[in-house]
Amino acid sequence: MSAPIILRERDQDDGDAERYAKRLKTDSTHESELVAQEEGQSQPTWDHVLPPSHSLLGVPLPEVKPNSAINFLETDVGISEYIGRGEAKIEGIIKQRFTDFLVFEVNQDSNVIHIKTLEKPQSSNDAPEEQNAEGARPDAEDAVAPAKLAPEGTVPSSDAAAPIEPPASEETTTDSWPESFDTKLAAFLTPSAIDDLKKMFLEGPEPPLVSDSGWAGRVAKVAEGSGEVSEEPQPESDARSRGGRGGRGRARDNRGGRGGGRGGRGGPSREDTRKVVSESIESKDIRTAMHKTVRELFKGKLDTQANDDSQIVIKWARGAGRDGRGGRGEKAPRGTYPPYVHFTLQKTNRDTQDALGHLSRLLHVNVKDLTVAGTKDKRGVTTQRVSLRRNNKTVEDVWKLANGIGPQRSPQDALSQRGERGIRISDLVYRKAGLELGMLKGNAFVITLRNVKVESMEVLDEAMNTIKSKGFINYYGMQRFGTASVPTHAIGLALLKSDWNKAIDLILQKRHGEHPDVAAARDAWLEEKDLDKALRLLPRRVVAERCILESFKKMKGDTRNAMGALSTIPRNLRLMYIHAYQSYVWNAIVSERIRTFGTDKPVVGDLVFDKDVQKADRMEVDGEEEEVSNPQRNRKPYIPPKIKTLTEEDLDKYSIFDVVMPLPGTDVAYPGGVLGERYRQFLLMDGLDPDNFVRRQKEYTLNGSYRAVLHLPKELSWSVMRYTDPDVSLAQSDEDKLLGFDPPAVSDEGNFMALQIKLTLGTAAYATMALREITKTDTSTHIQTGLTQASEDQKFRGTGAEATEVMAADSDEILEE
């Protein structure tokens, strides 16, 4: 029996099916080997889990011992240099407790995301289109009216904004257009455009009636010999024009019809063609400021959208009028609310994909219906926005399901206890569009280093001020490469080489120290070949492995369609693997650059963004798009930024903070000289063609991008505190604050010193890499775990305040050591 043919991202041809059935290498793998041979590279046998290019790093391979974990170091993923090796050093332990590492997402309006309330939300009684007609970007949480909250029988509005009441054209006065509007808009619009905008706004959300001499009221003629009306108005395509369920009435005898049933509009609304268009605005910063100004002045009642000519088009927001209500004083039908719900997610010691998988099961939705602007660290307490394609669920439904409200858990439990399994959601609002990767400005961190030892407070301040003024090397941190014995970049390399079977083998491979259930599930498959048992034992949080095994089960145990099995893994997770390989190569080349040329200034051959062209925000793998206030517009195609290779004449025009390095892929330039050759050497040794990253499977085509070599914190402050018991929190999560739990137990008489650092970083920057520059210590998990276990404060675990009195006299000696 021939292997079944599966349709995935593209149709398989007969040759594909034959290759999968015979488990042969794909054409792209063969082509990569030919390229390497043409370049004079031999293809020695490589049987280590790390890529062959590891031999170019100049460090020994990690030792592989039976029944023990492979302990990877920073140097194994290209992280080896510091801005100043001889600079002031602070010894300390990173992430000893989860609350020692707090992360808060910074949205595209530069607002830091916090949990504001734990209360149950309540959908507005008014039409949701009014409530959410602000036209703001999906992440502009503080600029919109959220779903109302209903504690103690009241319905207070959010601090962000009150529900929007649309202006009525008959009742509008000049007070609706203060003189300040003209002043603020003058920076963006011509006087005539401001007049047009004022006229459109004062007319109200419904276009003015135009006389048609009574023709609109006449009954359309019926074609002779038929029972069909020859002409009739066409309704709007979206649910808002249908008046909810009332739109289902039949048009028999001209009664009812679309919108004519209960709760309907009684007919289609007039098309609004009014708009005001600005002159062409080339500066992205000015366009962004205009989006924000219009949104703030008109409270979201007007939409702004950039067109292809860099002009800003201003229109009334859809749903800003009075139509579409489900009846005065009645809640609008759930189907008429915007299609997305956004909420704040706080997770503790869970990676992002795992947390989304858990939420998808609670909410009874596909995990693909949940999206985020960026992934967050696992070990810590992180806070970010999440969007849900709600599929007819209301904000009340989402809150109840996510909090497990039912026979075993009451609403009061949700307001007095921590969220189950480290997950808490809050601040739910309706939105017209979902989030996408890159829709953020960065992250704010509150990090606590414990058992800090430093020569003096002057040395501590010197070390911190060095980071503040010189920044740190913008390495991809160890989180990028996973913490298990199989690093994610090794899986990424297999995917890029189209070696599907190796990728599956790596994902399913045994890993030392895993949870017993996961280890037993792997054994059930790898040793017993018992697919049902493996799936029964495997926890749902183990996403990639479960997807592969479930695919095998659907194929009745046939494992030959490896590419098809991999395609069932969520796309973001597959992209994480190949991005990890990009990050590994980038780290390695940046280390070469700094080791050879230092970090003081640019050198000939360095790459920078061309100053004559607007600097692109798309320089990161998970880059952000230009700010707009209409999230429904189609995204513009990616346009590679213009890059300049520095010559001797250019050096005085740029600083070290302008220097970027490419992540290998399509449409990127490589640096000149030895670094460019080093890039090619790494890729060729790993069996990749440096000049061809296009794959037959589009999702594995590696798009290149650029990343700054150094990163300067946007904000940085620090304070010193003392403690004795290492189990006592020194920082508090938003959830614990709102639950009224005891605040951090900081004691001036504590035996040990802690350093609390507050910093804000841009997108894709790793706080652990900033800490690495401060402590000059490897941030690998096993290294930090060893430091924690050997720390002096561990002998006082659970002692609380009692230990403070015992060692108070020795506190000064700790600092001197």
Side-chain angles (χ1 to χ4, degrees), residues 28 58 212 299 457 491 497 530 590 629 658 712 721 789 794 806 816:
S28 55
D212 57 6
K299 308 300 182 187
M457 295 307 297
I491 300 171
K497 295 173 71 174
D530 190 334
V590 165
S629 70
D658 295 315
L712 195 65
M721 55 185 64
Q789 293 172 348
Q794 292 303 296
V806 177
E816 294 173 0

Side-chain angles (χ1 to χ4, degrees), residues 51-326:
S53 58
H54 184 279
S55 59
L56 299 176
L57 297 175
V59 296
L61 283 166
E63 189 175 357
V64 180
K65 297 179 180 179
N67 300 319
S68 63
I70 304 176
N71 290 326
F72 299 107
L73 298 172
E74 288 181 341
T75 51
D76 292 314
V77 293
I79 302 171
S80 61
E81 304 305 307
Y82 296 94
I83 285 184
R85 285 189 176 274
E87 300 287 341
K89 175 182 177 181
I90 301 172
E91 293 184 15
I93 299 172
I94 303 171
K95 296 187 181 183
Q96 183 165 315
R97 293 183 56 81
F98 298 141
T99 51
D100 288 349
F101 199 81
L102 304 180
V103 186
F104 304 93
E105 189 169 83
V106 179
N107 69 16
Q108 286 186 300
D109 281 339
S110 299
N111 297 314
V112 180
I113 300 299
H114 286 279
I115 294 180
K116 299 174 184 176
T117 178
L118 304 180
E119 299 284 352
K120 175 185 173 182
Q122 177 178 308
S123 298
S124 170
N125 289 339
D126 291 332
E129 289 80 7
E130 289 182 21
Q131 180 182 332
N132 294 281
E134 75 291 330
R137 288 191 330 274
D139 66 318
E141 306 302 341
D142 293 332
V144 302
K148 297 179 181 179
L149 303 173
E152 303 298 330
T154 62
V155 187
S157 61
S158 167
D159 293 339
I164 296 167
E165 285 297 331
S169 55
E170 298 83 5
E171 301 171 358
T172 302
T173 66
T174 53
D175 293 339
S176 299
W177 188 279
E179 292 184 5
S180 61
F181 279 25
D182 292 332
T183 304
K184 293 180 180 179
L185 290 170
F188 313 104
L189 297 172
T190 62
S192 61
I194 293 175
D195 290 340
D196 292 341
L197 181 60
K198 180 177 180 179
K199 177 184 177 183
M200 183 179 78
F201 181 70
L202 294 180
E203 286 175 347
E206 289 294 327
L209 292 170
V210 178
S211 174
D212 57 6
S213 301
W215 283 98
R218 302 191 180 188
V219 178
K221 292 183 178 180
V222 178
E224 200 172 321
S226 73
E228 297 178 356
V229 179
S230 59
E231 268 186 51
E232 64 175 328
Q234 295 298 317
E236 294 182 38
S237 59
D238 68 328
R240 282 184 289 261
S241 67
R242 297 173 185 159
R245 295 186 180 273
R248 296 182 181 179
R250 290 177 292 178
R252 187 174 56 196
D253 298 329
N254 292 325
R255 291 194 302 252
R258 191 173 293 273
R262 286 179 300 170
R265 292 186 178 184
S269 63
R270 301 184 304 280
E271 180 183 3
D272 190 357
T273 59
R274 298 171 299 166
K275 63 183 178 181
V276 176
V277 183
S278 75
E279 294 184 341
S280 180
I281 303 175
E282 296 300 327
S283 169
K284 176 189 168 182
D285 291 338
I286 296 177
R287 292 197 303 270
T288 298
M290 181 173 175
H291 288 305
K292 189 173 182 180
T293 298
V294 171
R295 187 168 63 244
E296 291 175 349
L297 290 180
F298 302 101
K299 308 300 182 187
K301 298 170 188 173
L302 301 181
D303 268 346
T304 56
Q305 177 177 343
N307 63 20
D308 292 337
D309 297 322
S310 298
Q311 299 168 311
I312 302 298
V313 180
I314 309 174
K315 299 179 180 180
W316 271 100
R318 293 188 65 184
R322 293 183 181 274
D323 292 338
R325 298 190 182 188

Side-chain angles (χ1 to χ4, degrees), residues 398-596:
V398 175
W399 186 87
K400 289 178 181 177
L401 290 169
N403 282 292
I405 304 303
Q408 304 299 321
R409 185 173 167 86
S410 69
Q412 186 56 39
D413 291 335
L415 300 179
S416 59
Q417 301 172 6
R418 285 177 176 154
E420 294 185 333
R421 301 195 178 188
I423 299 292
R424 165 70 73 175
I425 76 164
S426 69
D427 307 314
L428 293 81
V429 293
Y430 292 106
R431 283 289 182 273
K432 294 188 288 185
L435 292 172
E436 296 181 28
L437 282 175
M439 287 183 169
L440 74 166
K441 282 287 183 67
N443 294 284
F445 300 85
V446 179
I447 301 170
T448 306
L449 297 181
R450 295 192 182 241
N451 197 23
V452 169
K453 297 181 181 180
V454 66
E455 290 183 7
S456 65
M457 295 307 297
E458 289 74 19
V459 171
L460 186 149
D461 289 338
E462 179 187 350
M464 297 304 299
N465 280 311
T466 298
I467 297 292
K468 195 170 187 176
S469 60
K470 295 184 178 181
F472 58 94
I473 304 173
N474 200 19
Y475 285 127
Y476 288 97
M478 296 300 288
Q479 309 97 299
R480 189 77 161 186
F481 309 99
T483 57
S485 297
V486 181
T488 53
H489 66 294
I491 300 171
L493 177 58
L495 293 175
L496 289 172
K497 295 173 71 174
S498 302
D499 194 343
W500 316 122
N501 293 303
K502 182 175 181 181
I504 285 182
D505 290 344
L506 289 172
I507 292 171
L508 297 180
Q509 184 175 313
K510 292 184 182 180
R511 296 143 195 240
H512 179 77
E514 281 190 307
H515 190 281
D517 288 347
V518 181
R522 291 190 195 276
D523 287 339
W525 170 245
L526 296 174
E527 297 181 6
E528 304 172 32
K529 297 301 178 184
D530 190 334
L531 193 53
D532 291 330
K533 181 180 178 181
L535 283 169
R536 188 170 63 253
L537 293 172
L538 191 66
R540 290 189 175 274
R541 68 176 181 275
V542 188
V543 178
E545 290 86 338
R546 174 166 284 277
C547 287
I548 292 172
L549 294 181
E550 286 179 345
S551 176
F552 289 165
K553 184 174 176 62
K554 289 179 181 178
M555 299 300 296
K556 298 184 174 10
D558 191 336
T559 64
R560 291 178 293 180
N561 188 358
M563 189 188 79
L566 288 166
S567 71
T568 64
I569 298 174
R571 182 173 180 271
N572 284 351
L573 187 51
R574 281 176 285 149
L575 291 179
M576 181 193 72
Y577 294 137
I578 60 175
H579 289 166
Y581 178 77
Q582 282 181 304
S583 305
Y584 156 72
V585 175
W586 190 91
N587 280 354
I589 303 302
V590 165
S591 289
E592 293 259 355
R593 159 65 176 81
I594 291 172
R595 190 161 46 244
T596 306

